[in-house]
DNA sequence: GGTTGCCCCGAAAACGTTATCGTGTTGAAA
DNA sequence: TTTCAACACGATAACGTTTTCGGGGCAACC
């Protein structure tokens, strides 16, 4: 087993100083052609690579981005990571991933852990608990220490930093409007509890669309899901009692569950019930029928977030003007919707 | 903006030496109760946290695990990461994730990048290209440098290290046997090209099961998919020409595509065609009909891999005896299979 | 009073780099 | 012969820790 070789070892072996070795490898003009070649040959032979940790310590830069997300077993977040990783890779950065598991405490702990030197900045999406508690001191603290943070998707307005979002309200509005234009009047909503920021916004979009098209807002048509467990039951109850013509669901899981429940109850999708989901993930694509949905390009969001973060990391003087980028969405029409 | 405070700054502020500060914070008995309390109070006030990078350099340990996988937008890999992260977190490790994108070159580059000090060890699953080229020098090199590597799922026998797998051949065998016992004789196989190790093993399982039950092996019933693009077409062709009674697909995507194509052709699943998939991901759960599948517990694999790696990292003397852990699988029976 | 031992604390090395500055040698110009 | 610049290299500091060692001061003991 041959351990990693260091400058010191090379220096000793060639009987020169460490400085000479370092300079030779970085092609400094201070070093004679002769020794430079000699050192480089030796380094190549022993496959020398400068130690990242030492470089990080010296440069006070780790070239690593910390990602903190609620969970990774979630197609949307996985695509975002993928996007971040692409840009990071192009720019010579690594990504270190921490999962909050929707827990405030884990989010805080992970952040503090990474903030003590491990990363140069953060890209994160808030956990449900954090959104509920509205406690963002850990993020503010990190920012105060001079580390840039980019929030995406599940964000908050209570902390000043760069953000990448989609226009949830508008996207939802357009989805519901799409249903209205197809001729549906009795449109149900399956959404999350209000403290989930994106859920709330999408709910708003639904409400606004109904209102702008002079349709009544009927609370009985609105299902708010707290935990996935009883999701199916609540949807079934609503379907039973209300028999809507169409449903707008704020995520894939809700949408596919609607389809499953409806099918089970003998309601044909899309013939008797049209459904639109949110987030164009695997479920929407492979469900039967496949689901018309609002496509929310995670790769793009990830790429954008990474670009913003790295740009800020590589700025010489800091800029207090923070941006909020809105990634465009569009409706992907599939099999789960039909005109009346 | 208050930057991170260091030992040096505390020392200067309190007019003591750096050593004294360090020892005070680590509760060394060398330090008087008095100064210790003073230092600790000050440190707490300024929220001192030792710099990870400096610690890594000193201890020659980064407390980070490098994960290299083909892609993250893949439910199975996401669950594995999730499992790894759980254990890592429990043991005070971080995970840094790199994606090879199924490319040999990216796999090598990522590995070399992380190997120069960034991580203490690796957990990885081989890219398709790597499996095709059978070139594992980058892995061997890392091992030679004394960094432990744990391979999972897509592994190779050409390199000696710890491994975590499922018994792909046996799981496939059991799945096919399950179909045979239901009374099916004309069972098709939808699989990958042979160089994908797990694909090959599952194919073997299929072949063996047929053989052991005295069923003829018909090559026309076997579809080997190279890229996902023409997946649907090839499946359709086979369905058209052969009209099998059942299909064993080596992954979720193939399984759900079979369902879609069959449905499109008017073949009813499961009434006229039973289908079994592999990997119990979201698709299998939410597809209509939901898919009977071989559950391959990614979380468990991830946890096991992480445990093995960390165990090896924290051993004092090294142990040349490598283990290969087999994670048990089981068949999850859902709606896509019926008895004749 | 001198020696011993204990209690506190500081200096310094080490991890692996890079960058600044200093220095010895050589050759050429004055 | 003296002076000066250019050249080639080495010593050192710095990044932030931890740890080993050494030493000063003081009380106790002979």
């Amino acid at each position: 087993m041959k351990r990693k070789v260091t400058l010191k070892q090379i220096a000793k072996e060639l009987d020169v100083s460490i400085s000479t070795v370092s300079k030779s490898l970085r092609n400094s003009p201070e070093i004679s052609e002769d020794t430079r070649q000699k050192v480089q040959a030796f380094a190549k032979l022993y496959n020398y690579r400068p130690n990242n940790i030492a470089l990080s310590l010296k440069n006070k830069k780790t070239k690593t981005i910390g990602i903190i997300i609620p969970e990774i077993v979630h197609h949307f977040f996985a695509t975002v990571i993928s996007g971040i990783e692409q840009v990071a890779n192009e720019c010579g950065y690594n990504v270190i991933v921490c999962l909050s598991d929707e827990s405030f405490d884990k989010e805080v702990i992970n952040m503090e852990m990474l903030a003590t030197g491990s990363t140069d900045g953060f890209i994160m999406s808030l956990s449900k608990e954090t959104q509920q508690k509205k406690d963002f001191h850990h993020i503010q603290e990190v920012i105060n220490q001079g580390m840039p943070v980019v929030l995406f998707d599940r964000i908050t307005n209570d902390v000043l930093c760069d953000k990448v979002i989609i226009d949830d309200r508008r996207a939802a509005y357009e989805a519901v409007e799409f249903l209205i234009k197809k001729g549906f009047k009795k449109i149900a909503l399956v959404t999350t509890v209000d403290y989930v920021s994106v859920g709330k916004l999408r709910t708003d979009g639904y409400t606004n669309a109904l209102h702008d098209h002079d349709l009544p807002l009927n609370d009985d048509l609105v299902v708010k899901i707290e935990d996935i467990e009883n999701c199916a039951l609540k949807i079934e109850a609503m379907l039973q009692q209300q028999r809507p013509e169409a449903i707008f669901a704020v995520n894939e899981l809700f949408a596919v569950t609607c389809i499953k429940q409806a099918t089970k109850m003998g309601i044909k999708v899309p013939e008797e019930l049209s459904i639109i989901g949110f987030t164009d993930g695997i479920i929407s694509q492979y469900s039967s029928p496949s689901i018309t949905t609002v496509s929310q390009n995670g790769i793009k969001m990830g790429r954008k977030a990474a670009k913003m973060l790295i740009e800020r990391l590589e700025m010489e003087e800091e800029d207090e003007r923070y941006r909020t980028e809105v990634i465009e969405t569009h409706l992907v029409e599939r099999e789960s919707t039909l005109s009346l």
Side-chain angles (χ1 to χ4, degrees), chain A:
Chain A
M1 169 161 48
K2 43 172 188 178
R3 293 259 165 204
K4 300 209 67 57
V5 61
T6 69
L7 287 185
K8 192 192 277 193
Q9 290 166 29
I10 298 183
K12 193 171 170 189
E13 210 71 31
L14 293 179
D15 205 37
V16 290
S17 78
I18 297 183
S19 337
T20 305
V21 178
S22 174
K23 287 176 197 162
S24 299
L25 294 175
R26 323 203 100 247
N27 287 317
S28 158
E30 281 187 48
I31 304 297
S32 72
E33 187 63 20
D34 232 35
T35 43
R36 209 178 54 182
Q37 299 228 341
K38 194 174 59 180
V39 172
Q40 295 199 352
F42 193 89
K44 189 164 190 179
L45 180 64
Y46 281 85
N47 197 26
Y48 169 80
R49 293 273 180 282
N51 181 300
N52 283 330
I53 299 294
L55 285 181
S56 297
L57 185 59
K58 179 124 201 28
N59 302 332
K60 291 165 154 280
K61 277 187 195 167
T62 60
K63 285 281 196 172
T64 341
I65 297 173
I67 302 181
I68 301 182
I69 52 174
E71 44 179 344
I72 202 172
V73 191
H74 202 299
H75 190 257
F76 170 66
F77 285 122
T79 56
V80 175
I81 293 190
S82 197
I84 296 174
E85 204 267 353
Q86 283 174 17
V87 176
N89 219 319
E90 291 162 13
C91 303
Y93 283 76
N94 280 321
V95 301
I96 165 163
V97 177
C98 285
L99 311 179
S100 67
D101 257 334
E102 303 286 12
S103 141
F104 172 75
D105 290 340
K106 278 195 79 180
E107 188 176 297
V108 173
I109 290 175
N110 281 325
M111 228 175 154
E112 286 181 349
M113 182 134 196
L114 296 189
T116 61
S118 302
T119 65
D120 295 340
F122 287 94
I123 295 178
M124 65 186 296
S125 194
L126 301 173
S127 80
K128 276 186 193 164
E129 225 181 79
T130 307
Q131 292 206 113
Q132 194 171 11
K133 293 183 78 159
K134 292 181 186 297
D135 182 350
F136 311 111
H137 76 273
H138 52 302
I139 305 177
Q140 194 56 57
E141 197 154 310
V142 162
I143 294 178
N144 288 343
Q145 285 174 2
M147 304 182 74
V149 172
V150 177
L151 287 175
F152 74 89
D153 198 54
R154 296 211 213 140
I155 66 166
T156 171
N157 288 323
D158 293 358
V159 29
L160 250 60
C161 65
D162 289 322
K163 287 155 197 169
V164 181
I165 52 170
I166 58 167
D167 191 337
D168 284 284
R169 193 185 284 124
R170 182 160 158 219
Y173 185 99
E174 286 172 0
V176 176
E177 193 172 45
F178 173 86
L179 289 173
I180 295 173
K181 289 197 171 154
K182 288 224 175 251
F184 302 116
K185 298 207 182 311
K186 196 167 183 182
I187 302 171
L189 170 70
V190 179
T191 184
T192 63
V193 282
D194 277 349
Y195 61 76
V196 177
S197 62
V198 295
K200 177 67 167 65
L201 290 171
R202 292 170 198 173
T203 302
D204 286 354
Y206 165 84
T207 312
N208 293 348
L210 289 192
H211 178 264
D212 288 359
H213 291 81
D214 298 321
L215 289 175
L217 181 59
N218 179 355
D219 273 349
D220 294 335
L221 281 170
V222 176
V223 182
K224 294 202 180 183
I225 313 267
E226 173 94 38
D227 47 345
I228 317 269
E229 311 309 323
N230 57 9
C231 165
L233 288 177
K234 292 184 96 169
I235 290 173
E236 187 178 3
M238 187 273 288
L239 284 175
Q240 197 89 51
Q241 290 157 23
Q242 301 292 328
R243 278 288 179 143
E245 300 161 341
I247 301 181
F248 171 55
V250 301
N251 61 42
E252 283 197 310
L253 228 72
F254 292 172
V256 77
T257 307
C258 288
I259 293 184
K260 286 229 151 197
Q261 286 304 315
T263 308
K264 201 160 138 196
M265 296 167 67
I267 305 173
K268 283 194 181 134
V269 180
E271 293 80 0
E272 300 170 316
L273 174 65
S274 282
I275 295 177
I276 291 191
F278 211 108
T279 305
D280 186 18
I282 323 207
I283 296 183
S284 303
Q285 291 168 48
Y286 290 100
S287 150
S288 304
S290 58
I291 304 177
T292 298
T293 192
V294 176
S295 134
Q296 175 188 21
N297 196 324
I299 301 265
K300 226 177 215 170
M301 287 188 85
R303 291 189 63 98
K304 193 64 180 176
K307 271 182 198 155
M308 288 173 85
L309 183 68
I310 293 176
E311 194 178 312
R312 200 169 276 278
L313 283 175
E314 303 192 338
M315 270 187 330
E316 46 307 314
E317 86 291 357
E318 35 204 299
D319 186 351
E320 291 293 333
R321 292 162 308 170
Y322 294 107
R323 291 179 305 160
T324 296
E325 291 277 344
V326 179
I327 303 294
E328 71 282 8
T329 57
H330 61 275
L331 207 65
V332 181
E333 198 169 350
R334 294 218 180 82
E335 301 165 356
S336 69
T337 45
L338 221 61
S339 296
L340 270 187

